[in-house]
Coordinates of all heavy atoms in Angstrom, one line a residue:
M1 N 101.8 122.4 114.3 CA 101.9 120.9 114.2 C 102.5 120.4 115.4 O 103.6 120.8 115.8 CB 102.7 120.6 112.9 CG 102.8 119.1 112.7 SD 103.4 118.7 111.1 CE 105.1 118.6 111.4
A2 N 101.8 119.5 116.0 CA 102.2 119.0 117.3 C 103.1 117.8 117.2 O 103.0 117.1 116.2 CB 101.0 118.6 118.2
F3 N 104.0 117.6 118.1 CA 104.9 116.4 118.1 C 104.1 115.3 118.8 O 103.8 115.4 120.0 CB 106.2 116.8 118.9 CG 107.2 115.7 118.9 CD1 107.9 115.5 117.7 CD2 107.4 114.9 120.0 CE1 108.9 114.5 117.6 CE2 108.5 113.9 119.9 CZ 109.1 113.7 118.7
S4 N 103.9 114.2 118.0 CA 103.1 113.1 118.5 C 103.8 111.8 118.2 O 104.8 111.7 117.5 CB 101.8 113.1 118.0 OG 101.8 112.9 116.5
L5 N 103.2 110.7 118.7 CA 103.7 109.3 118.5 C 103.6 109.0 117.0 O 104.4 108.3 116.4 CB 102.9 108.4 119.3 CG 103.2 106.9 119.2 CD1 104.7 106.7 119.6 CD2 102.3 106.0 120.0
W6 N 102.6 109.5 116.3 CA 102.4 109.3 114.9 C 103.6 109.9 114.1 O 104.0 109.2 113.1 CB 101.1 109.8 114.4 CG 100.8 109.6 112.9 CD1 100.8 110.6 111.9 CD2 100.6 108.4 112.3 NE1 100.6 110.0 110.7 CE2 100.5 108.6 110.9 CE3 100.5 107.1 112.7 CZ2 100.2 107.6 110.0 CZ3 100.2 106.0 111.8 CH2 100.1 106.3 110.5
H7 N 104.0 111.0 114.4 CA 105.2 111.6 113.7 C 106.4 110.8 114.0 O 107.3 110.7 113.1 CB 105.3 113.1 114.2 CG 104.2 114.0 113.7 ND1 103.2 114.4 114.5 CD2 104.0 114.4 112.5 CE1 102.4 115.1 113.8 NE2 102.8 115.2 112.5
I8 N 106.6 110.3 115.2 CA 107.8 109.4 115.5 C 107.7 108.1 114.6 O 108.7 107.7 114.1 CB 107.8 109.1 116.9 CG1 108.1 110.3 117.7 CG2 108.9 108.0 117.2 CD1 108.0 110.2 119.2
I9 N 106.5 107.6 114.5 CA 106.3 106.4 113.6 C 106.7 106.7 112.1 O 107.4 105.9 111.5 CB 104.9 105.8 113.8 CG1 104.8 105.2 115.2 CG2 104.6 104.7 112.8 CD1 103.3 104.8 115.5
E10 N 106.2 107.8 111.7 CA 106.4 108.2 110.3 C 107.9 108.4 110.0 O 108.5 108.1 109.0 CB 105.6 109.5 109.9 CG 104.2 109.2 109.6 CD 103.5 110.5 109.2 OE1 103.9 111.6 109.6 OE2 102.5 110.4 108.4
A11 N 108.5 109.1 111.0 CA 110.0 109.3 110.8 C 110.8 108.0 110.9 O 111.8 107.9 110.1 CB 110.5 110.3 112.0
S12 N 110.4 107.1 111.7 CA 111.2 105.9 111.7 C 110.9 105.0 110.4 O 111.8 104.4 109.9 CB 110.7 105.0 112.9 OG 109.4 104.7 112.9
I13 N 109.7 105.1 109.8 CA 109.5 104.4 108.6 C 110.3 105.1 107.5 O 110.8 104.4 106.6 CB 107.9 104.5 108.3 CG1 107.2 103.5 109.2 CG2 107.7 104.0 106.8 CD1 105.7 103.4 109.1
L14 N 110.3 106.4 107.4 CA 111.1 107.1 106.5 C 112.6 106.8 106.5 O 113.3 106.7 105.6 CB 110.9 108.6 106.6 CG 109.6 109.1 106.0 CD1 109.4 110.6 106.4 CD2 109.5 108.9 104.6
T15 N 113.1 106.7 107.8 CA 114.5 106.3 108.0 C 114.8 104.9 107.5 O 115.8 104.6 106.9 CB 114.9 106.4 109.5 OG1 114.6 107.8 109.9 CG2 116.3 106.1 109.7
L16 N 113.9 103.9 107.8 CA 114.1 102.6 107.3 C 114.0 102.5 105.8 O 114.7 101.7 105.2 CB 113.0 101.7 108.0 CG 113.3 101.2 109.4 CD1 112.1 100.4 110.0 CD2 114.6 100.5 109.5
N17 N 113.1 103.3 105.2 CA 113.0 103.4 103.8 C 114.4 103.9 103.2 O 114.9 103.4 102.2 CB 112.0 104.4 103.3 CG 110.6 103.8 103.4 OD1 110.4 102.6 103.2 ND2 109.6 104.6 103.6
A18 N 115.0 104.9 103.8 CA 116.2 105.4 103.3 C 117.4 104.4 103.4 O 118.2 104.3 102.5 CB 116.6 106.7 104.1
L19 N 117.4 103.6 104.5 CA 118.4 102.5 104.6 C 118.1 101.3 103.7 O 119.0 100.8 103.2 CB 118.3 102.0 106.0 CG 118.8 102.9 107.1 CD1 118.6 102.2 108.5 CD2 120.2 103.4 106.9
A20 N 116.8 101.1 103.3 CA 116.5 99.9 102.5 C 116.8 100.1 101.0 O 117.0 99.2 100.3 CB 115.0 99.6 102.7
I21 N 116.8 101.4 100.6 CA 117.0 101.7 99.2 C 118.5 102.0 98.8 O 118.7 102.4 97.7 CB 116.1 102.8 98.7 CG1 116.4 104.1 99.3 CG2 114.6 102.4 98.9 CD1 115.7 105.3 98.6
L22 N 119.4 101.9 99.7 CA 120.8 102.2 99.4 C 121.3 101.2 98.3 O 121.1 100.0 98.4 CB 121.7 102.1 100.6 CG 121.5 103.2 101.7 CD1 122.3 102.8 102.9 CD2 121.9 104.5 101.1
N23 N 122.0 101.8 97.3 CA 122.5 101.0 96.2 C 123.8 100.3 96.5 O 124.7 101.0 96.9 CB 122.6 101.9 95.0 CG 122.9 101.2 93.7 OD1 123.1 100.0 93.7 ND2 122.8 101.9 92.6
E24 N 123.8 99.0 96.5 CA 125.0 98.3 97.0 C 126.2 98.6 96.1 O 127.3 98.9 96.7 CB 124.7 96.7 97.0 CG 125.9 96.0 97.5 CD 125.6 94.5 97.7 OE1 124.4 94.2 97.8 OE2 126.5 93.7 97.7
P25 N 126.2 98.5 94.8 CA 127.4 98.6 94.0 C 127.9 100.1 94.0 O 129.1 100.3 94.0 CB 127.0 98.3 92.6 CG 125.8 97.6 92.6 CD 125.1 97.9 93.9
R26 N 127.0 101.1 94.1 CA 127.5 102.5 94.0 C 127.8 103.0 95.4 O 128.7 103.9 95.5 CB 126.4 103.3 93.4 CG 126.3 103.1 91.9 CD 125.3 103.9 91.3 NE 125.3 105.3 91.7 CZ 124.4 106.1 91.4 NH1 123.3 105.8 90.9 NH2 124.4 107.4 91.8
F27 N 127.2 102.6 96.5 CA 127.3 103.3 97.7 C 128.0 102.4 98.8 O 128.9 102.9 99.5 CB 126.0 103.8 98.3 CG 126.1 104.5 99.6 CD1 126.6 105.9 99.6 CD2 125.7 104.0 100.8 CE1 126.7 106.5 100.8 CE2 125.8 104.6 102.0 CZ 126.3 105.9 102.0
L28 N 127.5 101.2 98.9 CA 128.0 100.3 100.0 C 129.3 99.6 99.7 O 130.2 99.6 100.6 CB 126.9 99.3 100.4 CG 125.6 99.9 100.8 CD1 124.6 98.8 101.0 CD2 125.8 100.7 102.1
K29 N 129.5 99.1 98.5 CA 130.6 98.3 98.2 C 131.9 99.1 98.2 O 132.9 98.6 98.8 CB 130.4 97.6 96.9 CG 131.3 96.4 96.7 CD 130.9 95.5 95.5 CE 131.5 94.2 95.6 NZ 131.1 93.4 94.5
P30 N 132.0 100.3 97.7 CA 133.3 101.0 97.8 C 133.7 101.4 99.2 O 134.9 101.5 99.5 CB 133.0 102.3 97.0 CG 131.8 102.0 96.1 CD 131.1 101.0 96.8
R31 N 132.7 101.4 100.1 CA 133.1 101.7 101.5 C 133.3 100.5 102.4 O 133.6 100.5 103.5 CB 132.0 102.5 102.2 CG 132.0 103.9 101.6 CD 130.7 104.6 101.9 NE 130.6 106.0 101.4 CZ 130.3 106.3 100.1 NH1 130.1 105.3 99.2 NH2 130.3 107.6 99.7
G32 N 133.1 99.3 101.7 CA 133.3 98.0 102.5 C 132.1 97.7 103.4 O 132.2 96.9 104.3
W33 N 130.9 98.2 103.0 CA 129.7 98.0 104.0 C 128.7 97.1 103.3 O 127.6 97.1 103.7 CB 129.1 99.4 104.2 CG 129.8 100.4 105.0 CD1 131.0 100.2 105.5 CD2 129.4 101.7 105.3 NE1 131.4 101.4 106.1 CE2 130.4 102.3 106.0 CE3 128.3 102.4 105.0 CZ2 130.4 103.6 106.4 CZ3 128.2 103.7 105.4 CH2 129.3 104.3 106.2
H34 N 129.1 96.3 102.3 CA 128.1 95.5 101.6 C 127.8 94.2 102.3 O 126.7 93.7 102.0 CB 128.5 95.3 100.1 CG 129.8 94.5 100.0 ND1 131.0 95.1 100.3 CD2 130.1 93.3 99.6 CE1 132.0 94.2 100.1 NE2 131.5 93.1 99.7
K35 N 128.6 93.6 103.1 CA 128.2 92.4 103.8 C 128.9 92.4 105.2 O 130.0 92.8 105.4 CB 128.7 91.2 103.0 CG 130.1 91.0 102.7 CD 130.3 89.8 101.9 CE 131.7 89.9 101.3 NZ 132.1 88.8 100.5
P36 N 128.0 92.0 106.2 CA 128.5 92.0 107.6 C 129.4 90.9 107.8 O 129.3 89.8 107.2 CB 127.3 92.0 108.4 CG 126.3 91.3 107.5 CD 126.6 91.7 106.1
N37 N 130.3 91.0 108.8 CA 131.1 89.8 109.2 C 130.4 89.2 110.5 O 130.4 89.8 111.5 CB 132.5 90.3 109.7 CG 133.3 90.9 108.6 OD1 133.2 90.5 107.4 ND2 134.1 91.9 108.8
F38 N 129.8 88.0 110.2 CA 129.1 87.3 111.3 C 130.2 86.6 112.1 O 131.1 85.9 111.7 CB 128.1 86.3 110.7 CG 127.0 87.0 110.0 CD1 126.9 86.9 108.6 CD2 126.1 87.6 110.6 CE1 125.9 87.5 107.9 CE2 125.0 88.2 110.0 CZ 124.9 88.1 108.6
A39 N 130.1 86.8 113.4 CA 131.0 86.3 114.3 C 130.6 84.8 114.7 O 129.4 84.5 114.8 CB 131.1 87.1 115.6
D40 N 131.6 83.9 114.8 CA 131.2 82.6 115.3 C 131.2 82.6 116.9 O 131.3 83.6 117.5 CB 132.3 81.6 114.8 CG 133.7 81.9 115.2 OD1 133.9 82.9 115.9 OD2 134.6 81.2 114.8
E41 N 131.0 81.5 117.4 CA 130.8 81.4 118.9 C 132.1 81.8 119.7 O 132.0 82.1 120.8 CB 130.3 80.0 119.3 CG 131.3 78.9 119.0 CD 130.7 77.6 119.4 OE1 129.7 77.2 118.6 OE2 131.1 77.0 120.3
Y42 N 133.3 81.7 119.1 CA 134.5 82.0 119.8 C 135.0 83.4 119.5 O 135.9 83.9 120.2 CB 135.6 81.0 119.3 CG 135.2 79.6 119.6 CD1 134.9 78.7 118.5 CD2 135.2 79.1 120.9 CE1 134.6 77.4 118.8 CE2 134.8 77.8 121.1 CZ 134.5 77.0 120.1 OH 134.1 75.6 120.3
Q43 N 134.5 84.0 118.5 CA 135.0 85.4 118.2 C 133.9 86.4 118.2 O 132.8 86.2 117.7 CB 135.6 85.3 116.7 CG 136.0 86.7 116.2 CD 136.3 86.6 114.7 OE1 136.2 85.6 114.1 NE2 136.9 87.7 114.2
Q44 N 134.1 87.5 118.9 CA 133.1 88.5 118.9 C 133.5 89.7 118.0 O 134.6 90.1 118.2 CB 132.9 89.0 120.4 CG 132.2 88.0 121.3 CD 132.0 88.6 122.7 OE1 132.5 89.7 123.0 NE2 131.2 88.0 123.4
N45 N 132.7 90.0 117.1 CA 133.0 91.1 116.2 C 132.0 92.2 116.4 O 131.0 92.4 115.7 CB 132.9 90.5 114.7 CG 133.6 91.4 113.8 OD1 134.1 92.5 114.2 ND2 133.7 91.1 112.6
N46 N 132.1 93.0 117.5 CA 131.2 94.0 117.9 C 131.7 95.4 117.6 O 131.5 96.3 118.4 CB 130.9 93.9 119.4 CG 130.1 92.6 119.7 OD1 129.4 92.1 118.9 ND2 130.2 92.1 120.9
T47 N 132.4 95.6 116.5 CA 132.8 96.9 116.2 C 131.7 97.7 115.7 O 130.7 97.2 115.3 CB 133.9 96.9 115.1 OG1 133.3 96.3 113.9 CG2 135.1 96.0 115.5
I48 N 131.8 99.0 115.8 CA 130.7 99.9 115.4 C 130.4 99.8 114.0 O 129.2 99.8 113.5 CB 131.0 101.4 115.8 CG1 131.1 101.5 117.3 CG2 130.0 102.3 115.2 CD1 131.5 102.9 117.8
K49 N 131.5 99.7 113.2 CA 131.3 99.5 111.7 C 130.5 98.3 111.4 O 129.6 98.3 110.5 CB 132.6 99.5 111.0 CG 132.5 99.3 109.5 CD 133.8 99.1 108.8 CE 133.6 98.7 107.4 NZ 134.9 98.5 106.7
N50 N 130.9 97.1 112.1 CA 130.2 95.9 111.8 C 128.7 95.9 112.2 O 127.8 95.4 111.6 CB 130.9 94.7 112.4 CG 130.4 93.4 111.9 OD1 130.2 93.2 110.7 ND2 130.0 92.5 112.8
Q51 N 128.4 96.7 113.3 CA 127.0 96.8 113.8 C 126.2 97.6 112.8 O 125.1 97.3 112.5 CB 127.0 97.4 115.2 CG 127.5 96.4 116.2 CD 127.5 97.0 117.6 OE1 127.2 98.2 117.8 NE2 127.8 96.2 118.6
L52 N 126.9 98.7 112.3 CA 126.1 99.5 111.2 C 125.9 98.8 110.0 O 124.8 98.9 109.4 CB 127.0 100.8 111.0 CG 127.0 101.9 112.1 CD1 127.9 103.0 111.7 CD2 125.6 102.3 112.4
V53 N 126.9 98.0 109.6 CA 126.7 97.1 108.4 C 125.6 96.1 108.6 O 124.8 95.9 107.7 CB 128.1 96.5 108.0 CG1 127.9 95.4 106.9 CG2 129.0 97.6 107.5
L54 N 125.6 95.5 109.8 CA 124.5 94.5 110.0 C 123.1 95.2 110.1 O 122.2 94.6 109.6 CB 124.8 93.9 111.4 CG 124.0 92.7 111.7 CD1 124.1 91.6 110.7 CD2 124.3 92.2 113.1
I55 N 123.0 96.4 110.5 CA 121.7 97.1 110.5 C 121.3 97.4 109.1 O 120.2 97.3 108.7 CB 121.8 98.4 111.3 CG1 121.9 98.1 112.8 CG2 120.7 99.4 111.0 CD1 122.1 99.3 113.7
L56 N 122.4 97.9 108.2 CA 122.0 98.1 106.8 C 121.6 96.8 106.1 O 120.6 96.8 105.3 CB 123.2 98.7 106.1 CG 123.6 100.1 106.5 CD1 124.9 100.6 105.8 CD2 122.5 101.1 106.0
F57 N 122.3 95.7 106.4 CA 122.0 94.5 105.8 C 120.6 94.0 106.1 O 119.8 93.6 105.3 CB 123.0 93.4 106.3 CG 122.8 92.0 105.7 CD1 123.1 91.7 104.4 CD2 122.3 91.0 106.6 CE1 122.9 90.5 103.9 CE2 122.1 89.7 106.1 CZ 122.4 89.5 104.8
T58 N 120.2 94.1 107.4 CA 118.9 93.7 107.8 C 117.8 94.6 107.3 O 116.7 94.1 106.9 CB 118.8 93.5 109.4 OG1 119.1 94.8 109.9 CG2 119.6 92.5 109.9
A59 N 118.0 95.9 107.2 CA 117.0 96.8 106.7 C 116.8 96.5 105.2 O 115.7 96.5 104.7 CB 117.5 98.2 106.9
R60 N 117.8 96.1 104.5 CA 117.7 95.9 103.1 C 117.2 94.5 102.8 O 116.4 94.2 101.8 CB 119.1 96.0 102.4 CG 119.5 97.5 102.3 CD 120.9 97.7 101.7 NE 121.1 96.8 100.5 CZ 122.1 95.9 100.5 NH1 122.9 95.7 101.5 NH2 122.3 95.2 99.4
K61 N 117.4 93.5 103.7 CA 117.1 92.1 103.4 C 115.8 91.8 104.0 O 114.9 91.2 103.3 CB 118.2 91.3 104.0 CG 118.0 89.8 103.7 CD 118.7 89.4 102.5 CE 118.7 87.9 102.4 NZ 119.2 87.5 101.1
Y62 N 115.5 92.1 105.2 CA 114.3 91.6 105.9 C 113.2 92.6 106.1 O 112.1 92.1 106.4 CB 114.7 91.0 107.3 CG 115.7 90.0 107.2 CD1 117.0 90.1 107.7 CD2 115.4 88.7 106.7 CE1 117.9 89.1 107.6 CE2 116.3 87.7 106.5 CZ 117.6 87.9 107.1 OH 118.5 86.9 107.0
F63 N 113.4 93.8 105.9 CA 112.4 94.8 106.1 C 111.7 95.3 104.9 O 110.8 96.2 104.9 CB 112.9 96.1 106.8 CG 113.3 95.9 108.3 CD1 114.3 96.6 108.8 CD2 112.6 95.0 109.0 CE1 114.6 96.5 110.2 CE2 112.9 94.8 110.4 CZ 113.9 95.6 110.9
R64 N 112.0 94.7 103.7 CA 111.4 95.2 102.5 C 109.8 94.9 102.5 O 109.1 95.9 102.2 CB 112.0 94.4 101.3 CG 113.3 95.0 101.0 CD 113.8 94.6 99.7 NE 115.1 95.2 99.5 CZ 115.9 95.0 98.5 NH1 115.5 94.2 97.6 NH2 117.1 95.5 98.4
L65 N 109.3 93.7 102.7 CA 107.9 93.5 102.7 C 107.2 94.2 103.8 O 106.2 94.9 103.6 CB 107.6 92.0 102.7 CG 106.1 91.6 102.6 CD1 105.6 92.1 101.3 CD2 105.9 90.1 102.8
P66 N 107.7 94.2 105.1 CA 107.0 95.0 106.1 C 107.0 96.5 105.8 O 106.1 97.2 106.1 CB 107.8 94.7 107.4 CG 108.4 93.4 107.1 CD 108.7 93.3 105.7
L67 N 108.1 97.0 105.2 CA 108.2 98.4 104.9 C 107.1 98.7 103.8 O 106.5 99.8 103.8 CB 109.5 98.8 104.4 CG 110.5 99.2 105.5 CD1 111.9 99.4 104.9 CD2 110.0 100.5 106.2
M68 N 107.0 97.9 102.8 CA 105.9 98.1 101.8 C 104.6 98.2 102.4 O 103.7 99.1 102.1 CB 106.0 97.0 100.8 CG 107.1 97.1 99.8 SD 107.0 95.8 98.7 CE 108.7 95.5 98.3
C69 N 104.2 97.3 103.3 CA 102.9 97.3 104.0 C 102.8 98.6 104.9 O 101.7 99.2 104.9 CB 102.8 96.1 104.8 SG 102.7 94.6 103.9
A70 N 103.8 98.9 105.6 CA 103.8 100.1 106.5 C 103.6 101.4 105.6 O 102.9 102.3 106.0 CB 105.1 100.2 107.3
N71 N 104.3 101.4 104.5 CA 104.2 102.6 103.6 C 102.8 102.8 103.1 O 102.2 103.8 103.0 CB 105.2 102.5 102.4 CG 106.5 102.8 102.8 OD1 106.8 103.6 103.7 ND2 107.5 102.1 102.2
V72 N 102.2 101.6 102.7 CA 100.8 101.7 102.2 C 99.8 102.1 103.3 O 98.9 103.0 103.1 CB 100.3 100.3 101.6 CG1 98.8 100.3 101.4 CG2 101.1 100.0 100.4
F73 N 100.1 101.6 104.5 CA 99.2 102.0 105.7 C 99.4 103.5 106.0 O 98.4 104.2 106.2 CB 99.6 101.1 106.9 CG 98.9 101.5 108.1 CD1 97.5 101.1 108.2 CD2 99.5 102.1 109.2 CE1 96.8 101.5 109.4 CE2 98.8 102.5 110.3 CZ 97.5 102.2 110.5
V74 N 100.6 104.0 106.0 CA 100.8 105.4 106.4 C 100.3 106.3 105.3 O 99.7 107.3 105.6 CB 102.4 105.7 106.5 CG1 102.7 107.2 106.5 CG2 102.9 105.0 107.8
I75 N 100.4 105.9 104.0 CA 99.8 106.7 102.9 C 98.3 106.7 103.0 O 97.7 107.8 102.9 CB 100.3 106.2 101.6 CG1 101.8 106.5 101.4 CG2 99.5 106.8 100.4 CD1 102.4 105.8 100.2
F76 N 97.7 105.6 103.3 CA 96.3 105.5 103.5 C 95.8 106.4 104.7 O 94.8 107.1 104.5 CB 95.9 104.0 103.7 CG 94.4 103.8 103.7 CD1 93.6 104.0 102.6 CD2 93.8 103.5 104.9 CE1 92.3 103.7 102.7 CE2 92.5 103.3 105.0 CZ 91.7 103.4 103.9
I77 N 96.5 106.3 105.8 CA 96.1 107.2 106.9 C 96.2 108.6 106.6 O 95.4 109.4 107.0 CB 96.9 106.7 108.1 CG1 96.5 105.3 108.6 CG2 96.7 107.7 109.3 CD1 95.1 105.1 109.0
D78 N 97.4 109.0 105.9 CA 97.6 110.4 105.6 C 96.5 110.9 104.6 O 96.1 112.1 104.7 CB 99.0 110.6 105.0 CG 100.0 110.6 106.1 OD1 99.7 110.8 107.3 OD2 101.2 110.5 105.7
I79 N 96.1 110.1 103.7 CA 95.1 110.5 102.7 C 93.7 110.7 103.4 O 93.0 111.7 103.2 CB 95.0 109.5 101.6 CG1 96.1 109.6 100.7 CG2 93.7 109.7 100.8 CD1 96.2 108.5 99.6
L80 N 93.4 109.7 104.4 CA 92.2 109.9 105.1 C 92.1 111.1 106.0 O 91.1 111.7 106.2 CB 91.9 108.6 105.9 CG 91.4 107.4 105.2 CD1 91.3 106.2 106.1 CD2 90.2 107.7 104.4
S81 N 93.3 111.3 106.7 CA 93.3 112.5 107.6 C 93.5 113.8 106.9 O 93.3 114.8 107.6 CB 94.4 112.2 108.7 OG 95.7 112.3 108.0
G82 N 93.9 113.8 105.7 CA 94.0 115.1 105.0 C 95.3 115.7 105.1 O 95.9 116.6 105.2

């Protein structure tokens, strides 16, 4: 099996799927990762923890519909290619 761009795309979709399905009450809330601290124009909140929380928030909030479409597309291509 060769390493190709298609495998990188599949791996990124699988990673986004893993981030999107994290359960907030059981996994994120006990660690304090359930909502990001948005900085106002005078305060910069660029900690690593806040950036990771923001990535988790966006993956769960805004990538759901695009991920569903990407999953259907990847499954369809995998079925066609065998």
Side-chain angles (χ1 to χ4, degrees):
M1 184 164 87
F3 186 72
S4 65
L5 181 63
W6 180 251
H7 291 103
I8 294 172
I9 292 171
E10 281 183 335
S12 63
I13 289 173
L14 286 173
T15 304
L16 283 174
N17 280 329
L19 293 176
I21 65 168
L22 289 175
N23 192 349
E24 183 176 338
R26 287 181 47 196
F27 182 75
L28 298 176
K29 203 167 192 177
R31 291 163 179 82
W33 295 357
H34 60 288
K35 56 183 169 180
N37 296 327
F38 294 108
D40 57 1
E41 62 185 70
Y42 301 112
Q43 175 189 8
Q44 290 185 346
N45 198 355
N46 292 333
T47 63
I48 294 174
K49 178 185 174 187
N50 194 47
Q51 289 178 357
L52 289 174
V53 170
L54 191 60
I55 289 172
L56 290 173
F57 178 76
T58 55
R60 289 176 41 241
K61 185 92 171 167
Y62 300 114
F63 287 152
R64 285 195 179 174
L65 184 63
L67 272 175
M68 287 180 208
C69 297
N71 285 326
V72 168
F73 178 73
V74 167
I75 290 170
F76 183 71
I77 295 297
D78 283 344
I79 288 173
L80 284 180
S81 66

